[in-house]
Amino acid sequence: MTPTRTSKLERGRSALGPALELVHTGRAPTRAVLTAELGVTRATAGAVAAELETLGLITVDSSPGAASGTQGRPSHRLSVNGDGPVVLAAQVHADGFRAALVGLGGRLIATAPGAGTASADPAHVLREVVEAGAGLLKETGRRCLGAGLAVPSAVAEPEGTALNPLHLAWEAGAPVREIFTRSLARARIPGIAGETAARGYAANDINLAALAEHRHGAGRGAEHLLVVGTGHRGVGGALVLDGRLHTGSSGLALEVGHLTVDPGGRPCHCGSRGCLDVETDPLALLEAAGREPGPEVSLLKQAKELIRTDYESDPAVRTAVHTLNERLGLGIAGLVNILNPDRVILGGLHRALLEAEGEHLRAVIADRSLWGRSGSVPVLPSSLQHNSLVGAAELAWQPVLDDPLGALAS
C-alpha cells in the first residue's frame, strides 16, 4: 500500500468517532454537513459514512429526493441505525429503579416497568436492575455494547463510590460501580460479559440528565448549560461546558441542592436548614399545599399530578407553587451569578413549576440575578423523557463514539 493511500485510510479511520458523534447528536443530518464539520474531502466523508454503515451504526440514504424548490443533486441523508446495537441503561432513585435499552441518538428502544422499592442493599438493587435489563435484551435480541448506571448521589472519581446517597438507605461510600460491574458479569450479557471492567459505568443522575439534554434535548447547542432538577427526592444540578460535564476535581461539583434558600426552613439531611434540596422537592410541595403523601405512587407523580389537577382550582396549591418558585428562583439566581450560563434547563418537578408559573419564576431569577437584569438567561423545561436513563446510556456509548472500530471489535 502506498504512503499516500495509507495516510488517507488513517485519516478516514481517525474520523470515524467524530463522524459517529455528529450523526449521534443530530449535528450531521447529511453527508454534505458531515464533510463540512469534519473538514475533509467529500470522498473521505463518503468513505467514513460507508464504514459506519457497514459497522451497523448508521444508515445512509443515497436517494433522499430533492426538497421542493431546490436545485442540484441532494446530499445523502445520514441517520442512526434504528435496528443497530444498544446499550443497557439503569437508574436507581428514592422510589425504586428502572432499566432500559437505548440506541444511538438517545432513542429508547425498550424499558422495563419501574420497580416500586429500592432495597437498602445496593447489591440486591443492582442485581435486580441488571436482571431486568438482561430480560429486555433477551426479548429484543439486540446486541449490547455496554451499560451505564444513574444514581441519586455524587459519585467520586476514580473510585466510582456513591458518597452521599441521602435519599436511599445505602451506606455512604457504597462502591456502586464495582457492584454494578459484578452484577453485569454474573448476568453474562452477550457483548459485555467478561469485559465489564471497561464497559460498566456509573454517575450522578442529574449530571447524566444534563449530558442527555445537551446532546439530544433542550440543551443542544448551548456552550454553558446549567441544569437543575428534582426527581423523586432532593435537588441536583449540573453544568455542561463546551460539550463536556464539569464534574470538578473528583466528580463532586455542582451539589446545588445544598444552597440555602430559607435560613429558617426545613432541616436538611446535610445538617443545615432551608436547603434547595428540602425546600423545592416533591415532598416540600405536598407539605406546603397541605397534602398528606400517599404510598400508592411516587412522590414525584403525586406532586406533578397535584399541580396538573388542582392548581387552577385550589388556592392552597397555587400558594405552594408560588412559594416553591420563589425559593427555586432565589437558588437559580445565585447559580446564574456565579456560573453565567447561556441556558438554564429545569427538570422533574421543577419543570412542572416552570410550566405552571413560568413568568413568575423567570421574574424572580431576573430580579435576583445581576446578569438577569442586563440580559435574561433563557430558562427552559427539559425535553427528554427519562433523561437520566438516556444520560446513563451516553456513558456506555462514549467508548463507541471514541473508537467505533475498537469498541465493536472487542
Side-chain angles (χ1 to χ4, degrees), residues 60-66 73-77:
V60 180
D61 185 353
S62 60
S63 55
R73 188 173 62 181
S75 179
H76 294 24
R77 295 202 63 81

Side-chain angles (χ1 to χ4, degrees), residues 4 16 20 46 75 96 137 174 178 189 208 225 331 339 347 382:
T4 301
L16 285 175
L20 181 60
S75 179
L137 288 167
E178 178 185 341
I189 296 173
L208 296 180
L225 175 67
L339 302 173
S382 60

Side-chain angles (χ1 to χ4, degrees), residues 135-174:
L136 292 175
L137 288 167
K138 185 176 181 179
E139 291 171 13
T140 61
R142 295 294 188 100
R143 180 184 181 187
C144 184
L145 298 181
L149 170 68
V151 293
S153 167
V155 177
E157 296 295 347
E159 300 89 352
T161 54
L163 289 188
N164 58 342
L166 298 178
H167 302 292
L168 298 175
W170 297 357
E171 291 185 2

Side-chain angles (χ1 to χ4, degrees), residues 260 262-266 273-274 279:
T260 299
D262 182 4
R266 296 173 175 82
R273 299 184 72 90
E279 297 292 343

Side-chain angles (χ1 to χ4, degrees), residues 25-370:
T25 56
R27 290 178 289 153
T30 68
R31 198 171 70 180
V33 175
L34 182 68
T35 301
E37 290 288 337
L38 292 177
V40 298
T41 65
R42 187 169 64 179
T44 298
V48 168
E51 180 73 9
L52 292 174
E53 185 175 38
T54 300
L55 292 172
L57 298 172
I58 74 169
T59 60
V60 180
D61 185 353
S62 60
S63 55
S68 177
T70 62
Q71 295 181 349
R73 188 173 62 181
S75 179
H76 294 24
R77 295 202 63 81
L78 309 177
S79 59
V80 298
N81 183 0
D83 297 320
V86 297
V87 295
L88 168 60
Q91 180 183 12
V92 180
H93 51 72
D95 292 312
F97 59 85
R98 182 181 293 273
L101 304 182
V102 184
L104 282 166
R107 298 182 180 184
L108 286 168
I109 305 300
T111 59
T117 58
S119 165
D121 179 5
H124 178 76
V125 176
L126 296 183
R127 183 170 61 249
E128 286 195 318
V129 79
V130 168
E131 288 173 355
L136 292 175
L137 288 167
K138 185 176 181 179
E139 291 171 13
T140 61
R142 295 294 188 100
R143 180 184 181 187
C144 184
L145 298 181
L149 170 68
V151 293
S153 167
V155 177
E157 296 295 347
E159 300 89 352
T161 54
L163 289 188
N164 58 342
L166 298 178
H167 302 292
L168 298 175
W170 297 357
E171 291 185 2
V176 290
R177 183 178 299 147
E178 178 185 341
I179 295 170
F180 187 48
T181 291
R182 290 202 306 264
S183 298
L184 290 165
R186 287 170 182 156
R188 299 186 178 276
I189 296 173
I192 55 176
E195 299 172 22
T196 50
R199 297 285 187 107
Y201 303 88
N204 171 260
D205 53 4
I206 192 69
N207 276 356
L208 296 180
L211 185 61
E213 290 288 344
H214 185 268
R215 290 185 174 181
H216 306 293
R220 185 179 290 170
E223 294 186 4
H224 298 80
L225 175 67
L226 172 65
V227 176
V228 177
T230 175
H232 297 260
R233 289 293 303 274
V235 173
L239 185 67
V240 181
L241 297 176
D242 298 322
R244 295 195 176 276
L245 279 169
H246 173 69
T247 57
S249 61
S250 56
L252 309 180
L254 271 292
E255 278 292 306
V256 306
H258 301 290
L259 288 173
T260 299
V261 292
D262 182 4
R266 296 173 175 82
C268 182
H269 297 274
C270 71
S272 185
R273 299 184 72 90
C275 293
L276 205 62
D277 208 57
V278 292
E279 297 292 343
T280 66
D281 78 343
L283 183 59
L285 178 74
L286 293 170
E287 290 181 347
R291 299 300 203 273
E292 188 71 26
E296 304 82 14
V297 296
S298 72
L299 293 173
L300 177 61
K301 286 184 178 179
Q302 291 178 61
K304 291 169 72 173
E305 186 68 10
L306 181 63
I307 295 175
R308 189 184 70 82
T309 59
D310 292 12
Y311 176 80
E312 296 294 339
S313 61
D314 190 332
V317 174
R318 287 199 301 275
T319 299
V321 168
H322 196 81
T323 299
L324 261 69
N325 271 332
E326 288 279 345
R327 294 169 182 164
L328 177 59
L330 179 62
I332 293 174
L335 293 168
V336 168
N337 285 336
I338 295 169
L339 302 173
N340 187 212
D342 57 8
R343 198 177 310 174
V344 178
I345 292 177
L346 302 182
L349 178 63
H350 292 168
R351 171 180 172 159
L353 294 172
L354 175 66
E355 291 172 340
E357 283 190 355
E359 186 174 341
H360 172 61
L361 177 55
R362 291 185 177 98
V364 174
I365 296 170
D367 184 58
R368 299 290 190 126
S369 165
L370 175 64

